[in-house]
């Protein structure tokens, strides 16, 4: 956890979050504070409770995993603030974190060194046609693709459908990395290919990264090189 | 700086990095260590020096800003390790950080709550046609778009060209956020629109985020809502 997030939690009077995430916190930050934790699917309820408490003048911190602004709770909080006309008046701080895409990438090597597209496969709130269109567009424009929410107990066919779709545009030997529980103690990393990806082994705790046409293995690492020149002079590169 | 990065720096014998980034470090981490710092464009030289030192058995840390794997140095290190046949033998750790896209987004609100594409406008190593194609594909598939390296002293026309391209696909009132020096003390945030974006005011220290068709202002914040339903029941949402 970055120092700013730690500071905010240290100063909070109430901590609100999914119970598994609260358990991951340094318990010194939690001790002596009111904690409101509920199960995974109760996030609207949690965020409403957090706003109720903040409206009572209590310093309230909402905890999520990864980065708060990437498929996480910052947006929901803003939507609920809008609903209650609090957007102008409430003193909200949005604290960034290390997103799953960066944590997963670092365990695989450096697959995100060139342009990438991040797509959630959850079709609970997004029509499947939109998701399908985005994956096609990203594949055709040779983006590295990060798949969030790749597969759950109830959404079981989507990842396999995307794999089949991608195989029409990319080579079967395109490198793929799957990282489960990125940056946690029980992290598990799988290197495979688009052809070899066993979609049934993937669950909600996984982030899937699909290479572009340039992505390759270097030793046990995955790399998407920075440039498109087949053989460029490394001495002339700059970050510009 | 996240605790893992801090720990790695604490244990390092040598720290290698761009001089401005070294100055931003807690000087307690730097004190008593060998420091190799050079200017912005010398990154290949710095990474070569770091590998030389590591080959001599010295614990060497290479510092970059944001996340090490997103348009930063992790990929260059891997390329240089490949060149020297070190990929299997060297004990490399890639430590993730908070990428500029997440830091910038958190200062703007929650613009990355739905699918996004990250594109570097630097055409030093990537042909402009590839960049142009990616921006078109991302715009047509309604991705939120993050532009890295939007404009430099020598690359002055690219961002304006992209703005004109996007105006053919997206409304002129599409929200745009520009964050300069994200998360630093001198951070500056500008909220504008695709029509209103003053590209000449943008430089290499800026990250530009262009909303999708759903992105809107809520108070002084920017939000891309999680769903595509025009009016969905917030009580039924889940993170799945």
């Amino acid at each position: 956890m970055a120092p700013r997030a730690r500071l905010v939690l240290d100063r909070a009077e109430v901590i609100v979050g999914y119970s598994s995430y609260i358990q991951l916190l340094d318990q010194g930050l939690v001790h002596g504070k009111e904690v409101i934790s509920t199960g995974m699917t109760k996030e609207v309820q949690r965020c409403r409770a957090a706003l109720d408490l903040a409206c009572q003048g209590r310093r309230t911190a909402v905890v999520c995993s990864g980065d708060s602004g990437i498929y996480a709770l910052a947006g929901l909080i803003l939507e609920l603030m809008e609903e209650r006309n609090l957007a102008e008046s409430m003193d909200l701080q949005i604290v960034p974190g290390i997103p799953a895409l960066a944590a997963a990438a670092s365990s695989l090597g450096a697959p995100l060194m060139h342009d990438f597209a991040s797509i959630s496969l959850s079709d609970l709130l997004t029509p499947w046609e939109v998701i399908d269109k985005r994956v096609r567009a990203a594949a055709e424009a040779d983006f590295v693709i990060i798949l969030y929410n790749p597969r759950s107990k109830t959404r079981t066919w989507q990842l396999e459908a995307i794999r089949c779709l991608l195989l029409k545009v990319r080579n079967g030997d395109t490198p793929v990395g799957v990282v489960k529980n990125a940056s946690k103690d029980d992290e598990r990393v799988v290197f495979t290919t688009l052809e070899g990806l066993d979609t049934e082994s993937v669950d909600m705790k996984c982030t899937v990264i699909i290479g572009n046409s340039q992505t390759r293995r270097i030793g046990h690492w995955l790399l998407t090189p920075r440039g498109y020149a087949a053989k460029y002079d490394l001495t002339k590169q700059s970050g510009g």
Side-chain angles (χ1 to χ4, degrees), chain A residues 89-168:
Chain A
S89 57
M90 184 170 278
D91 178 19
L92 172 71
Q93 283 185 50
I94 299 173
V95 180
I98 298 176
L101 63 87
S106 72
S107 295
L108 294 166
L112 304 183
M113 285 297 295
H114 214 298
D115 304 333
F116 56 87
S118 170
I119 302 170
S120 166
L121 294 194
S122 173
D123 54 355
L124 295 175
L125 290 170
T126 304
W128 182 250
E129 305 78 63
V130 173
I131 297 170
D132 178 276
K133 182 182 177 178
R134 285 188 180 152
V135 174
R136 273 175 213 273
E140 284 165 5
D142 206 26
F143 282 99
V144 177
I145 298 174
I146 301 133
L147 301 176
Y148 273 83
N149 305 317
R151 194 169 182 279
S152 73
K153 281 178 190 157
T154 53
R155 292 182 302 94
T156 54
W157 57 267
Q158 286 84 349
L159 180 60
E160 183 61 21
I162 290 303
R163 191 180 79 88
C164 294
L165 190 166
L166 286 170
L167 277 170
K168 291 178 189 159

Side-chain angles (χ1 to χ4, degrees), chain A residues 56-111:
Chain A
Q56 290 162 25
R58 305 189 66 190
R59 280 198 303 280
T60 307
V62 178
V63 172
C64 41
S65 71
D67 176 67
S68 57
I70 297 183
Y71 309 112
L73 296 181
L76 178 57
I77 291 279
L78 282 175
E79 286 185 86
L80 295 171
M81 281 168 58
E82 183 181 42
E83 193 182 79
R84 299 192 190 182
N85 261 323
L86 293 169
E88 300 283 1
S89 57
M90 184 170 278
D91 178 19
L92 172 71
Q93 283 185 50
I94 299 173
V95 180
I98 298 176
L101 63 87
S106 72
S107 295
L108 294 166

Side-chain angles (χ1 to χ4, degrees), chain A residues 6-237:
Chain A
R6 204 182 162 83
L7 190 68
V8 164
L9 282 176
D10 190 40
R11 290 185 181 162
E13 295 165 325
V14 189
I15 298 177
V16 179
Y18 173 42
S19 30
S20 300
Y21 298 159
I22 300 278
Q23 285 163 26
L24 287 174
L25 294 176
D26 175 349
Q27 294 304 304
L29 289 170
V30 178
H31 185 74
K33 288 175 187 163
E34 183 177 350
V35 174
I36 298 182
S37 66
T38 54
M40 190 64 176
T41 58
K42 306 283 188 189
E43 57 195 53
V44 176
Q45 188 186 320
R46 283 201 300 276
C47 290
R48 283 195 202 283
L51 285 183
D52 288 341
L53 288 157
C55 284
Q56 290 162 25
R58 305 189 66 190
R59 280 198 303 280
T60 307
V62 178
V63 172
C64 41
S65 71
D67 176 67
S68 57
I70 297 183
Y71 309 112
L73 296 181
L76 178 57
I77 291 279
L78 282 175
E79 286 185 86
L80 295 171
M81 281 168 58
E82 183 181 42
E83 193 182 79
R84 299 192 190 182
N85 261 323
L86 293 169
E88 300 283 1
S89 57
M90 184 170 278
D91 178 19
L92 172 71
Q93 283 185 50
I94 299 173
V95 180
I98 298 176
L101 63 87
S106 72
S107 295
L108 294 166
L112 304 183
M113 285 297 295
H114 214 298
D115 304 333
F116 56 87
S118 170
I119 302 170
S120 166
L121 294 194
S122 173
D123 54 355
L124 295 175
L125 290 170
T126 304
W128 182 250
E129 305 78 63
V130 173
I131 297 170
D132 178 276
K133 182 182 177 178
R134 285 188 180 152
V135 174
R136 273 175 213 273
E140 284 165 5
D142 206 26
F143 282 99
V144 177
I145 298 174
I146 301 133
L147 301 176
Y148 273 83
N149 305 317
R151 194 169 182 279
S152 73
K153 281 178 190 157
T154 53
R155 292 182 302 94
T156 54
W157 57 267
Q158 286 84 349
L159 180 60
E160 183 61 21
I162 290 303
R163 191 180 79 88
C164 294
L165 190 166
L166 286 170
L167 277 170
K168 291 178 189 159
V169 186
R170 291 203 182 161
N171 287 332
D173 62 1
T174 300
V176 172
V178 180
V179 182
K180 184 166 178 169
N181 294 320
S183 286
K184 301 210 177 82
D185 289 340
D186 54 349
E187 179 183 271
R188 266 191 27 218
V189 176
V190 173
F191 292 92
T192 179
T193 61
L194 207 44
E195 187 66 50
L197 173 63
D198 171 19
T199 55
E200 292 198 5
S201 70
V202 173
D203 65 22
M204 283 295 283
K205 293 176 176 170
C206 295
T207 305
V208 178
I209 298 185
I210 295 155
N212 75 2
S213 67
Q214 309 295 304
T215 307
R216 64 177 194 269
R217 292 293 294 272
I218 292 186
H220 56 287
W221 301 101
L222 210 59
L223 170 75
T224 305
R226 302 197 300 171
Y228 264 66
K231 192 79 186 170
Y232 50 84
D233 180 355
L234 277 173
T235 59
K236 288 191 184 153
Q237 284 192 78

